[in-house]
Amino acid sequence: MSLKRIFEPLSINSIELPNRIVRTAHGTGFAPDGLISDLLINYHLDRAHGGAGLSFLEIVAVHPSTNGRLMGYDPKIVDGYKRLIERIEPTGMRVMQQLWHGGSQVQPLDGGPPWAPSPVVGLFADQVPIEMSRAQIAEITECFAASAARCEEGGLHGAQIHAAHGFLIQQFLSPLTNHREDEYGGSFENRVRFLVEIVAAVRGAVSSGFPIGIRIGPEMTPGGIDAVETAKLVEYLQARCGVDFFDVSMGGFYNFPKVIGAMHEPAGYMLPTIRPVLDATRIPTIATGRIRTLEEAEQVLKDEAVDLVGMTRAHIADPRIVQKTLAGTPMKVRPCVGANVCARSVLEDRPLWLKCAVNPWVGRETGGTEEELVGKAAERKKVLVVGGGPAGCEAAATAALRGHNVILCEAAPYLGGRLFYAKLAPTRQSFGDFIAWQEDRLYELEVDVRLNTYVEVDDISTIDPDVVIMATGGRDREDLSLVAVPGNKLEIEEGARVLDSLEVFQDRAGFAGQSVLVYDETGDHEAVSVAEFLLQEGATVTFVTRHKTFAPRLQQMLLDEPALQRLNATGNFTLELHAYPLAITAEQITIANLGGRRDFQIRTDAAVLVRYREPSPKLDLGMAKSIEIKNVGDAFAPRDLHASVMEGAAAGAGI
């Protein structure tokens, strides 16, 4: 596909953007004190060198009554803006700030109750908020204006008012959360009043050439603001306010998985829903929704209602996506797989720190390329990598990038390790993109890849490497104790069909019409993938988990609800929470409940146990004491894709 429109410049008010690629606002955790840090600057600078046209800094709290990533009410932020712009200005990328207040969803810094239009409890803050007085409304309005003025003073190229995703402004807009009976509640015109006053205040606080935009979108929940009313809002704002652009999104706290759609969503998944909103816009408009490649972005831009395309997670995965595509090498772009590790890392993990399932260098940027970051080794060594899963492939490629002579041996006839089978599950095909990218990269870096090669101690002696990186993965535990009841041993009758997840995907037959129990010990996606695969194959599935909620590890990745909806939609899925299998025979399984309910039996043809694994046995190199040995990924401690890629890269970079 010819990439033409995406590289056309575009003017927003007095600012010209070099291209139509946008990085929308997203949390990083790289500003722990609420001000602009060198870490945050380097993170954005790397993407600026990569060719992005416009980037939005993550939410800035305009007032202490909300706890944001950045503190826009602190005058010291201006100096940070100036330092950031000084570094980024030469690249041509434009930088704008998203202005925000969390309302009922976010706890104030002083620990008091949240501020909101009405005392409607937010799902996240979990406290009854105070209903804002007219004086408090005026105070917040002026704080939006003051924060915008600081953006201009600091040299930023524009500001965006966040009026979507269920935060304060949308709480005023929505009849679900605005129950006021004064001039800020009731009719459409009254509910819009707060936003109109904010825009007017912001416009009055900055110069006429300073771009001001609004992030907007339908709530996608019954009784809330739908796409038709959002389109009406867009028409209303364009007629009355000095707005320069719209950033159209969708979803909110009542349907948050739609805000950051994971790999189960198709590219451009938001576009059909926000169509009425896009049709109502007459000023530059940003659209987003899991756009992964510049080819997909170009396709979106063929729609005349869209002027700019958001590609945020694609730039987390590979900061140089624009640069590599322009150079005619899109196959070198590290692909975003939509695992939403990035969402979990800033919503759940402590300390807050943006992570990526496939990019190990996030948060370690220096403003240069990956080659410059890794650097060249002072001495060329022979490196043997045993195992061709994600950790082994990343280790081999990084070591080769350092200039070492690398041999990678994999016992299977393919690369990818467990990920090779994970990609076979419904909605998980994106893992295949990463496997293919890793394989292409190994061959480009001239790594000696040897498939169907099982490595023994004698083989290592023959190869005679300086360094051995063991990436041999993990294995199922032989011990039949369960995490929930370590003192009990699972009883399995001889002849019972008991499988692990790999055996399910390797079999790929024999499940149609069968009743299968899936036991989830880990609370991650593995058991969910197994269940969805079995249902696709025609089985009836009983999903038993020791956890009190379904797949808790997926909750902050915004994957649990969409998965549960898909599973329940089949009509052949039953969920048993806070329970575990007690005994398995050829015909039935006894289920025990951790909450005190009586044991019960279900008829099954097979059971799949998804349990925590242990590292594969280590090779004893005996006399070869001079060889440096590193264990990475599941061979060190079984975890997830992010950990495997991180440790593989660290091992390769450390040689």
Side-chain angles (χ1 to χ4, degrees), residues 115-133:
W115 292 21
S118 301
V120 177
V121 178
L123 290 178
F124 275 27
D126 198 25
Q127 283 191 25
V128 178
I130 59 169
E131 181 171 301
M132 292 169 63
S133 66

Side-chain angles (χ1 to χ4, degrees), residues 134-373:
R134 289 182 177 86
Q136 288 172 323
I137 290 173
E139 182 179 349
I140 295 300
T141 300
E142 289 306 312
C143 284
F144 268 95
S147 291
R150 292 187 185 101
C151 292
E152 184 170 29
E153 183 183 354
L156 299 189
H157 304 106
Q160 178 193 76
I161 299 164
H162 197 333
H165 300 164
F167 295 118
L168 180 64
I169 295 175
Q170 193 172 68
Q171 289 163 28
F172 270 87
L173 296 173
S174 174
L176 287 177
T177 46
N178 185 344
H179 300 167
R180 302 177 72 96
E181 296 180 355
D182 61 7
E183 68 271 28
Y184 290 97
S187 68
F188 173 81
E189 288 75 13
N190 282 357
R191 287 184 281 114
V192 174
R193 190 182 307 277
F194 182 47
L195 174 56
V196 171
E197 290 177 353
I198 287 173
V199 174
V202 168
R203 186 76 278 168
V206 297
S207 67
S208 60
F210 189 71
I212 298 297
I214 301 177
R215 186 160 226 198
I216 204 162
E219 285 184 280
M220 297 187 65
T221 192
I225 302 173
D226 60 13
V228 173
E229 188 167 25
T230 305
K232 179 182 176 181
L233 176 60
V234 163
E235 292 280 12
Y236 190 89
L237 293 169
Q238 288 175 136
R240 290 164 177 79
C241 303
V243 181
D244 298 304
F245 67 92
F246 287 114
D247 180 354
V248 185
S249 182
M250 71 183 193
F253 284 90
Y254 300 107
N255 198 351
F256 220 82
K258 287 296 183 182
V259 178
I260 314 174
M263 66 172 73
H264 62 278
E265 297 282 11
Y269 73 95
M270 288 189 183
L271 296 174
T273 301
I274 64 175
R275 177 81 261 166
V277 186
L278 298 175
D279 288 342
T281 60
R282 299 188 302 275
I283 58 178
T285 301
I286 304 165
T288 187
R290 200 175 171 241
I291 309 300
R292 302 164 299 174
T293 68
L294 266 63
E295 289 79 6
E296 291 175 353
E298 183 73 22
Q299 190 66 36
V300 171
L301 286 170
K302 287 186 176 181
D303 183 337
E304 294 182 358
V306 178
D307 303 286
L308 299 129
V309 180
M311 298 184 66
T312 305
R313 283 176 290 173
H315 276 86
I316 296 173
D318 196 325
R320 307 284 166 151
I321 181 173
V322 176
Q323 186 182 76
K324 290 176 181 179
T325 305
L326 264 177
T329 56
M331 71 292 296
K332 291 186 179 181
V333 173
R334 191 184 291 258
C336 170
V337 298
N340 270 11
V341 168
C342 51
R344 183 179 69 194
S345 64
V346 295
L347 290 173
E348 177 187 61
D349 290 355
R350 298 291 186 271
L352 299 176
W353 186 284
L354 181 64
K355 302 178 183 70
C356 176
V358 299
N359 182 359
W361 309 114
V362 175
R364 293 162 177 79
E365 292 89 355
T366 59
T369 63
E370 184 175 345
E371 290 82 356
E372 292 168 340
L373 179 65

